[in-house]
């Protein structure tokens, strides 16, 4: 008796259609969304967690189209027909579903930040969902005025963990050193064993140099927004 071959889930087929329209490769999608690697190529179903991760990655997709294949692929098309402005989709939102958005920790980068990095029991207050910040690993508060007016005291920042080899000089990074935590533009030093930490607010803050060996963690600052909740 010949075994019946299982067909690929219609939801997976729709996800692949969406990625094709956006010009996103499966590799990029898995890396940025957190969806289980290789799941779209398998001829089986898809879990609720992976569907939730896809919807967080693609907030413009129509849920009805994703599930049933009916209607328009993008929900923004439907909203245009109804007169809703596209800008509403781009507003940051709070999510209490751990699978949707990126975790927000209600701690200051310059005070208690190591609790996020080192503790396995730290629980995020909620998640934040906003287009353009899919690369972020998490959000936290920022204190201090050294990066004003680009990053203001009281803003929340989106951070992506990286390595010293990933650093693009001239960009903004959040750095955890052995005795301090700071957000600065990183530049090369004349001393190959050090890095320059450059503020934007040069009126009140000076540039400093620190040995590379003192750096414990480096985070790319994806961006910042004013706290909205």
């Amino acid at each position: 008796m010949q075994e019946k071959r299982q067909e690929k889930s219609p939801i997976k087929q729709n996800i692949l259609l969406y990625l094709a329209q956006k010009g996103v490769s499966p590799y990029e999608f898995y890396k940025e969304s957190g969806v289980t690697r290789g799941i779209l190529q398998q001829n089986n179903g898809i879990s609720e967690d992976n569907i939730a991760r896809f919807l967080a990655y693609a907030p413009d997709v129509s849920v009805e189209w994703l599930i049933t294949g009916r209607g328009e692929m993008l929900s923004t098309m439907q909203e245009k027909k109804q007169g809703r402005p596209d800008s509403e989709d781009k507003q940051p939102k709070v999510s209490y579903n751990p699978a949707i958005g990126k975790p927000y920790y209600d701690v200051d980068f310059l005070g208690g930040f190591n609790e996020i990095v080192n503790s396995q029991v730290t629980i995020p207050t909620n998640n934040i969902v906003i287009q353009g910040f899919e690369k972020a690993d998490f959000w936290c508060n920022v204190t201090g005025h050294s990066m004003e007016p680009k990053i203001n005291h009281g803003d929340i920042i989106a951070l992506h963990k990286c390595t010293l080899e990933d650093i693009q000089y001239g960009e903004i990074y959040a750095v955890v050193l052995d005795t301090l935590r700071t957000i600065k533009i990183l530049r090369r030093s004349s001393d190959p064993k050090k890095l320059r930490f450059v503020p934007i607010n040069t009126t009140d803050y000076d540039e400093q140099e620190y040995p590379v060996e003192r750096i414990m963690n480096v985070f790319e600052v994806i961006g910042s927004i004013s706290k909205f909740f």
Side-chain angles (χ1 to χ4, degrees):
M1 184 176 178
Q2 193 173 21
E3 186 177 348
K4 185 178 179 181
R5 184 181 178 184
Q6 187 174 8
E7 295 183 357
K8 185 171 293 184
S9 159
I11 293 177
K12 288 185 180 180
Q13 294 179 31
N14 288 340
I15 291 175
L16 289 169
L17 284 173
Y18 173 88
L19 296 178
Q21 177 164 311
K22 294 289 186 176
V24 177
S25 70
Y27 172 79
E28 293 173 315
F29 170 64
Y30 295 135
K31 184 177 179 181
E32 295 177 6
S33 69
V35 169
T36 304
R37 192 174 298 274
I39 192 68
L40 298 180
Q41 284 69 42
Q42 298 173 8
N43 290 333
N44 53 17
I46 184 169
S47 69
E48 291 183 3
D49 283 347
N50 280 326
I51 292 174
R53 291 188 181 102
F54 170 70
L55 291 173
Y57 171 84
D60 60 339
V61 78
S62 165
V63 176
E64 180 183 5
W65 173 84
L66 177 67
I67 304 299
T68 69
R70 295 193 296 266
E72 302 282 1
M73 176 186 291
L74 303 182
S75 59
T76 52
M77 294 181 181
Q78 295 173 338
E79 290 167 358
K80 284 180 182 178
K81 293 176 182 177
Q82 297 168 4
R84 279 184 70 183
D86 292 341
S87 59
E88 290 186 20
D89 286 334
K90 299 178 181 178
Q91 296 302 312
K93 299 175 183 177
V94 167
S95 169
Y96 294 97
N97 183 339
I100 299 178
K102 302 296 182 176
Y104 160 72
Y105 296 91
D106 190 15
V107 296
D108 295 335
F109 178 76
L110 297 181
F113 187 74
N114 265 355
E115 292 178 8
I116 294 177
V117 178
N118 297 328
S119 174
Q120 299 301 314
V121 299
T122 301
I123 299 174
T125 304
N126 50 255
N127 279 21
I128 294 176
V129 182
I130 179 172
Q131 291 187 40
F133 290 87
E134 291 79 12
K135 185 180 177 183
D137 292 322
F138 57 87
W139 296 78
C140 66
N141 304 324
V142 63
T143 59
H145 304 272
S146 66
M147 300 305 285
E148 294 180 348
K150 186 164 187 175
I151 300 177
N152 297 305
H153 176 77
D155 283 353
I156 52 177
I157 50 175
L159 301 180
H160 172 67
K161 187 173 177 58
C162 59
T163 66
L164 290 172
E165 290 73 23
D166 296 326
I167 290 175
Q168 300 292 314
Y169 295 105
E171 300 296 329
I172 300 175
Y173 291 88
V175 184
V176 181
L177 294 103
D178 50 6
T179 59
L180 64 95
R181 305 167 189 88
T182 186
I183 303 172
K184 296 290 188 293
I185 296 170
L186 295 185
R187 296 191 182 277
R188 285 190 174 89
S189 167
S190 56
D191 183 344
K193 295 183 178 180
K194 294 182 178 181
L195 287 179
R196 293 164 54 203
F197 290 66
V198 183
I200 291 177
N201 178 7
T202 55
T203 301
D204 301 315
Y205 295 85
D206 296 325
E207 177 181 326
Q208 295 177 304
E209 291 192 358
Y210 295 104
V212 173
E213 65 180 12
R214 291 184 58 188
I215 296 175
M216 300 172 64
N217 288 287
V218 181
F219 299 87
E220 178 185 359
V221 178
I222 305 299
S224 66
I225 60 175
S226 298
K227 195 167 183 179
F228 61 97
F229 53 88

